Amino acid sequence: MEGSVAIRPDKFGLSDEQALRKHIGFFKTVENSGVGNTYICHGDKGNAAIVFLTDDVFRIKIYQGADVDLSTTVGVLPQVSEVEVKTLENESQFIFATTTIRLIVDKSNCSFSIEDHEGHLIARQNPVGWNARGEHSADYDMPAESHFYGFGEKTGFLDKRGEHYTNWNTDVYAPHVPEIEAIYQSIPLLIHMFEERSYGLFLDNPGRSDFDMRSAETTFSISCATGAYDIYFINGPGLKDVVSRYTALTGRIDLPPKWAIGYHQSRYSYMNQQEVLELARTFRTKQIPCDVIYLDIHYMDEYRVFTFDPVRFPDPEGMMEELKSLGIRIIPIVDPGVKKDPKYTVYQEGVRENHFIKKLEGDIFLGEVWPGISAFPDFTEDRTSEWWGEQHRYYTDLGIQGIWNDMNEPALFNESKTMDLDAMHGNNGKPQTHEELHNLYGMLMSKATYEGLSRQLDGQRPFVLTRAGYAGIQRYAAVWTGDNRSFWEHMALAMPMVLNMGLSGIPFAGPDIGGFGHNATGELLARWTQMGAFFPYCRNHSAIGTIRQEPWSFGEKTEEIVRNYIGLRYRFMPHLYQLFHGAATDGLPIVRPLLLEYPSDPNVTNMCDQFLLGENILIAPVYRPDTDHRSVYLPAGTWIDYWTGEALVGGRPILAHAPLEIMPMYIRAGAIIAEGPLKQSADDASDESITFNIYGASASTGFESAYTLYEDDGVSFDYRQGGYSELSLNVVGGAGTVEIQWRYNEARGFKPERKLLQFSFRRPDFTVGRVEGLQRLTAEQLVAGAEGWTHNPSTDELLIQVSDQAVGDKLVVSIA
């Protein structure tokens, strides 16, 4: 006998009818709110608050009712608006004008157009619509020549035209395939480029949102399922302008500790203390540079965070002491799930002090993760974030300075793979559901972790690695791209993923080198390490049950290749550190698509199998097996083969010879690259000698090249109070001469341990006759520390060595 369940409506295929969509309607009035440059446009059925932040950045928030809430998520930094806005009105339009752009409101329907002062249309937002369930969306003009970038961590090619992406932080094991629309990170930033003009749209909404460049031919759409339609327009006109202005809005990285830029070794898991120590000793015995070893979940006592397993790791203090003597740090994994265990201190405190997320009815939300049934801290509450940060004293008291945040989407072992959508966040007195705040959870966890470590490390810089994040995550953590596979295809996919993350304000990013799941081969590990050595974040990581992929796992040939490229990263460390400083200063990425430097070149709009390190180093990885040649596109200019010194004319593709030990690399002629000595750990300060490699210099009028080397102690925040040094170098060509000038900044609060500077001219267009004031010496004499110069005819290298004067100096090179 059946009950009423037999006639449930879903059994008959009923679906919701299309809800009637509403729009703001026709324009009624506009008023200045009296708060900064904030204007309220009143429509027939809704309102739009328009906030001008700079001449090139403004915010539009759609709302209904009498009052507007102009608070933001933590993804947006506090902004001070000092821009002057002029308003104009005619019969059909209301116009807001800054010094660079005009925002035009169509009075008939409250659509928005943005133009420059020459009347060129930059963007058009059609009326924002919403339905009875509060879902908002708007369409934007999409010309035929449109290209799309940004979106944070998404799979697929560099140019996202024709794609659809959902922003919903999701733990999808092995997700690195193009059809996956939602992954661990959600950065709701779209950068639209057409006719060499670019602008950005950032939707500050941490619930589910969608960016659709697929469904229509002439428009793209941005929509959100919950919360407000709160969008920022970021003018270019250049792509660099958009990235720099977006990072001014959401924040830029702090300089990481220099050791965090070194090589990291990980596995799920290094099972015990002895294995970790043997691993560290092997790195030092084999002279493979390494700064960090990771501890995955098996280091914990029954997967309880803030514990060490007393059997597997009986003496963490002793382990840390030996690792410190080897110059290697430990980074342990810390997940958000706190095991439900009445004997577990962290759980006890969390319950007593009301730190865990609850259902509306008052019960603690519980879900299954690695420890079993667990509770989850409510990081939307500042007091809980402070409590969580304080728990890390357990690690910092052992000398640990870095933490790995995982499973923080948050990921759960249930059907939805995440927290119940009706779980409640306190949100500092403004309660909201998890559905509304989901994408913020991982960022808030990393924020709590970073701030806790900062309080405990006595002025030393912490390092946090995270899997999940939201806009602004770059302020607190580096990002790795999650659980990829040991597939050549996944190696290739890592390039556009990391490049678009850089365009989305996240410069400190990289994939698991060698691939996490499946089984690597020696060839794959060699090729992936070659590429990974030039990504900002550099970690080898593999999964339990897979073939080991430490550098020595596949024999001597692979080991030697891996050693050489990791060593090359360490030799490039001064230049890498300079690029990190640049990212912290101007927000531009460390690794860049060619498009960023050559936006007018139509050949690079979707080029994502090669990339630039900074402006001047072109990296072209080999990402297919059994391949010893590959096509490389050289942009306009002259490029010098890093390995052979051959000068090549750009603006064309070439066929590069790339046997297994060679990854094609090219340096732009005229570039200067700083190089340091090979070290086994990045913070070894015993030798800070610097060689400035000057590529393709010309002894003729008109040649000029400049470089600024930024240096600090690499571990503390003293640089914020002036504890740094900047050495400015200029190389200027003349009639038969080349002059080298260098000087330090006046307020030099940091002095590295070095006595000599070297200048290496690589493939100059002249033959040296003499160097004013210096003698010609043998290479051996220079190695012994003498001041002078030498010329190597086989490589056509001119090497000059001088003392490192406190105020700088200059030299003149005369041609033969």
Side-chain angles (χ1 to χ4, degrees):
M1 194 170 177
E2 293 184 303
S4 295
V5 69
I7 54 171
R8 283 179 57 163
D10 56 344
K11 288 180 176 291
F12 296 90
L14 297 181
S15 60
D16 291 339
E17 295 181 4
Q18 180 65 39
L20 179 64
R21 296 190 64 79
K22 294 182 180 180
H23 300 85
I24 292 179
F26 62 85
F27 175 94
K28 294 167 67 176
T29 59
V30 65
E31 64 176 302
N32 190 318
S33 72
V35 180
N37 286 300
T38 301
Y39 299 85
I40 306 298
C41 286
H42 297 285
D44 184 41
K45 295 183 176 63
N47 311 296
I50 304 172
V51 186
F52 287 88
L53 302 175
T54 72
D55 284 318
D56 292 287
V57 179
F58 64 84
R59 172 189 183 190
I60 299 177
K61 184 170 185 177
I62 306 301
Y63 71 101
Q64 293 81 45
D67 300 317
V68 59
D69 178 5
L70 289 178
S71 62
T72 70
T73 70
V74 297
V76 176
L77 292 175
Q79 304 288 312
V80 177
S81 174
E82 298 179 351
V83 61
E84 181 180 348
V85 180
K86 296 180 180 179
T87 58
L88 305 167
E89 186 174 8
N90 58 41
E91 186 176 334
S92 61
Q93 299 173 328
F94 197 95
I95 302 169
F96 303 90
T98 71
T99 60
T100 56
I101 57 175
R102 298 192 304 166
L103 171 61
I104 302 168
V105 183
D106 186 324
K107 289 184 176 181
S108 69
N109 59 9
C110 281
S111 62
F112 299 92
S113 299
I114 300 97
E115 297 179 350
D116 63 20
H117 283 290
E118 285 71 49
H120 299 122
L121 180 66
I122 300 171
R124 178 180 288 112
Q125 176 183 291
N126 296 318
V128 177
W130 62 91
N131 63 22
R133 302 186 188 281
E135 300 166 338
H136 289 72
S137 67
D139 295 333
Y140 299 80
D141 282 8
M142 183 173 69
E145 64 276 15
S146 292
H147 306 282
F148 294 94
Y149 309 99
F151 306 97
E153 182 187 54
K154 299 297 185 186
T155 54
F157 293 104
L158 183 72
D159 186 354
K160 303 303 187 184
R161 184 177 176 110
E163 300 293 347
H164 174 282
Y165 292 111
T166 297
N167 293 301
W168 185 256
N169 290 0
T170 306
D171 172 26
V172 183
Y173 190 54
H176 291 200
V177 292
E179 68 190 72
I180 297 296
E181 296 182 351
I183 199 169
Y184 309 103
Q185 298 262 333
S186 291
I187 313 297
L189 169 72
L190 173 152
I191 301 175
H192 184 194
M193 178 179 177
F194 61 99
E195 296 179 345
E196 298 182 38
R197 178 184 288 277
S198 297
Y199 69 85
L201 294 171
F202 166 55
L203 179 68
D204 187 24
N205 184 315
R208 186 184 300 271
S209 62
D210 287 86
F211 290 76
D212 185 357
M213 292 75 63
R214 177 187 299 159
S215 299
E217 290 188 9
T218 59
T219 61
F220 66 90
S221 68
I222 299 176
S223 61
C224 55
T226 62
Y229 201 86
D230 191 357
I231 202 153
Y232 292 76
F233 172 84
I234 305 165
N235 188 38
L239 192 57
K240 284 185 177 181
D241 299 318
V242 176
V243 176
S244 186
R245 288 173 181 141
Y246 168 75
T247 54
L249 181 69
T250 61
R252 293 165 180 160
I253 62 168
D254 260 334
L255 270 175
K258 193 175 287 186
W259 57 263
I261 307 173
Y263 174 76
H264 299 211
Q265 182 64 52
S266 184
R267 182 167 172 85
Y268 168 46
S269 290
Y270 294 124
M271 291 295 188
N272 57 57
Q273 182 171 323
Q274 187 60 33
E275 184 179 14
V276 171
L277 291 173
E278 285 297 329
L279 180 71
R281 294 166 192 154
T282 303
F283 270 102
R284 293 298 175 250
T285 299
K286 291 180 173 292
Q287 294 193 306
I288 300 174
C290 181
D291 269 277
V292 177
I293 293 173
Y294 284 75
L295 299 182
D296 212 314
I297 59 174
H298 290 95
Y299 81 90
M300 292 181 273
D301 183 9
E302 296 184 351
Y303 310 120
R304 297 177 180 92
V305 289
F306 311 112
T307 67
F308 272 93
D309 186 297
V311 176
R312 296 176 186 269
F313 292 85
D315 183 16
E317 293 89 348
M319 178 183 71
M320 292 299 299
E321 192 64 31
E322 180 172 345
L323 291 171
K324 182 179 179 181
S325 72
L326 295 171
I328 291 178
R329 289 173 166 82
I330 281 292
I331 293 181
I333 198 169
V334 177
D335 295 343
V338 176
K339 183 177 178 65
K340 181 180 183 295
D341 181 350
K343 295 180 290 183
Y344 176 28
T345 303
V346 179
Y347 181 73
Q348 291 172 353
E349 285 185 10
V351 172
R352 284 198 307 264
E353 299 173 14
N354 194 27
H355 289 303
F356 295 132
I357 293 169
K358 295 181 178 180
K359 290 297 192 81
L360 183 63
E361 295 77 11
D363 295 331
I364 292 175
F365 170 78
L366 298 171
E368 184 182 2
V369 281
W370 302 117
I373 301 302
S374 301
F376 297 83
D378 186 359
F379 297 114
T380 69
E381 297 275 21
D382 289 344
R383 65 179 193 85
T384 296
S385 292
E386 187 172 347
W387 169 76
W388 183 261
E390 186 60 26
Q391 300 303 313
H392 290 77
R393 197 171 296 279
Y394 175 81
Y395 298 113
T396 56
D397 284 349
L398 293 170
I400 290 170
Q401 297 175 305
I403 296 294
W404 171 17
N405 287 162
D406 194 16
M407 302 290 284
N408 55 340
E409 290 73 29
L412 275 77
F413 301 157
N414 59 16
E415 186 175 351
S416 72
K417 301 180 181 178
T418 194
M419 194 173 293
D420 290 356
L421 300 186
D422 61 353
M424 295 300 300
H425 294 274
N427 199 32
N428 292 326
K430 297 180 179 179
Q432 287 184 272
T433 64
H434 185 72
E435 182 181 16
E436 296 170 289
L437 297 175
H438 172 80
N439 291 333
L440 272 180
Y441 192 82
M443 175 183 173
L444 291 174
M445 180 186 183
S446 294
K447 178 178 182 288
T449 303
Y450 182 87
E451 291 174 346
L453 294 175
S454 295
R455 292 191 295 268
Q456 296 156 22
L457 290 179
D458 298 323
Q460 301 290 290
R461 301 176 210 170
F463 171 73
V464 178
L465 176 70
T466 186
R467 191 169 76 176
Y470 180 71
I473 185 60
Q474 62 270 10
R475 309 199 302 260
Y476 308 110
V479 175
W480 100 103
T481 59
D483 294 337
N484 60 1
R485 286 288 188 264
S486 297
F487 300 155
W488 290 94
E489 293 83 356
H490 284 198
M491 178 186 168
L493 283 167
M495 284 184 271
M497 186 178 287
V498 172
L499 293 174
N500 267 316
M501 289 171 76
L503 295 178
S504 305
I506 306 174
F508 200 177
D512 285 336
I513 291 173
F516 176 68
H518 198 55
N519 296 301
T521 63
E523 184 186 11
L524 178 62
L525 180 63
R527 290 302 196 189
W528 206 321
T529 304
Q530 290 170 348
M531 178 182 77
F534 293 95
F535 277 158
Y537 178 65
C538 179
R539 179 180 77 158
N540 176 320
H541 185 43
S542 57
I544 193 168
T546 63
I547 292 175
R548 303 295 289 248
Q549 58 186 47
E550 288 78 18
W552 49 85
S553 297
F554 296 98
E556 292 183 2
K557 182 177 181 180
T558 299
E559 178 183 328
E560 185 64 17
I561 294 170
V562 170
R563 177 188 293 108
N564 288 341
Y565 278 85
I566 294 174
L568 189 58
R569 179 182 182 87
Y570 278 73
R571 285 163 44 201
F572 272 51
M573 190 65 73
H575 186 64
L576 267 173
Y577 198 63
Q578 169 68 25
L579 294 175
F580 269 87
H581 175 254
T585 303
D586 59 26
L588 294 180
I590 295 161
V591 293
R592 307 174 181 186
L594 275 64
L595 173 78
L596 192 64
E597 299 296 335
Y598 302 91
S600 61
D601 187 340
N603 296 301
V604 301
T605 54
N606 202 14
M607 183 164 286
C608 50
D609 66 346
Q610 58 185 69
F611 56 89
L612 294 168
L613 179 63
E615 298 177 0
N616 298 317
I617 303 174
L618 193 154
I619 305 295
V622 175
Y623 53 94
R624 291 288 181 266
D626 305 319
T627 300
D628 59 8
H629 287 81
R630 67 151 289 175
S631 174
V632 178
Y633 181 77
L634 300 178
T638 299
W639 294 83
I640 296 172
D641 188 311
Y642 179 82
W643 305 107
T644 68
E646 181 183 4
L648 300 160
V649 177
R652 64 191 178 100
I654 64 167
L655 185 63
H657 185 216
L660 184 58
E661 67 275 9
I662 296 294
M663 178 183 66
M665 295 171 55
Y666 303 88
I667 315 295
R668 187 182 59 82
I672 301 173
I673 307 296
E675 186 176 317
L678 176 61
K679 298 179 179 182
Q680 294 303 299
S681 63
D683 58 356
D684 176 4
S686 60
D687 181 5
E688 296 295 339
S689 61
I690 291 289
T691 299
F692 292 100
N693 295 303
I694 305 156
Y695 288 86
S698 177
S700 58
T701 302
F703 176 82
E704 186 170 356
S705 186
Y707 187 87
T708 299
L709 177 68
Y710 173 89
E711 296 175 286
D712 58 35
D713 63 23
V715 293
S716 78
F717 287 107
D718 289 353
Y719 69 90
R720 293 176 175 173
Q721 285 75 47
Y724 64 90
S725 168
E726 288 184 313
L727 190 159
S728 298
L729 172 65
N730 282 277
V731 181
V732 180
T737 64
V738 174
E739 184 175 275
I740 312 168
Q741 305 175 38
W742 68 97
R743 63 179 179 83
Y744 287 95
N745 59 307
E746 293 181 6
R748 188 182 179 192
F750 170 76
K751 294 183 179 180
E753 294 292 326
R754 64 167 168 258
K755 297 179 180 179
L756 299 169
L757 291 175
Q758 289 189 336
F759 304 95
S760 172
F761 285 84
R762 303 290 183 93
R763 294 294 176 177
D765 75 347
F766 58 85
T767 301
V768 61
R770 64 188 180 91
V771 179
E772 186 178 294
L774 293 177
Q775 292 184 330
R776 183 168 187 166
L777 303 175
T778 65
E780 290 74 19
Q781 288 173 306
L782 293 183
V783 170
E787 294 186 61
W789 64 276
T790 189
H791 179 257
N792 184 336
S794 64
T795 60
D796 199 20
E797 177 190 7
L798 166 62
L799 182 62
I800 303 171
Q801 184 164 276
V802 297
S803 61
D804 186 10
Q805 302 292 334
V807 294
D809 208 340
K810 73 174 183 178
L811 290 169
V812 177
V813 178
S814 299
I815 68 173

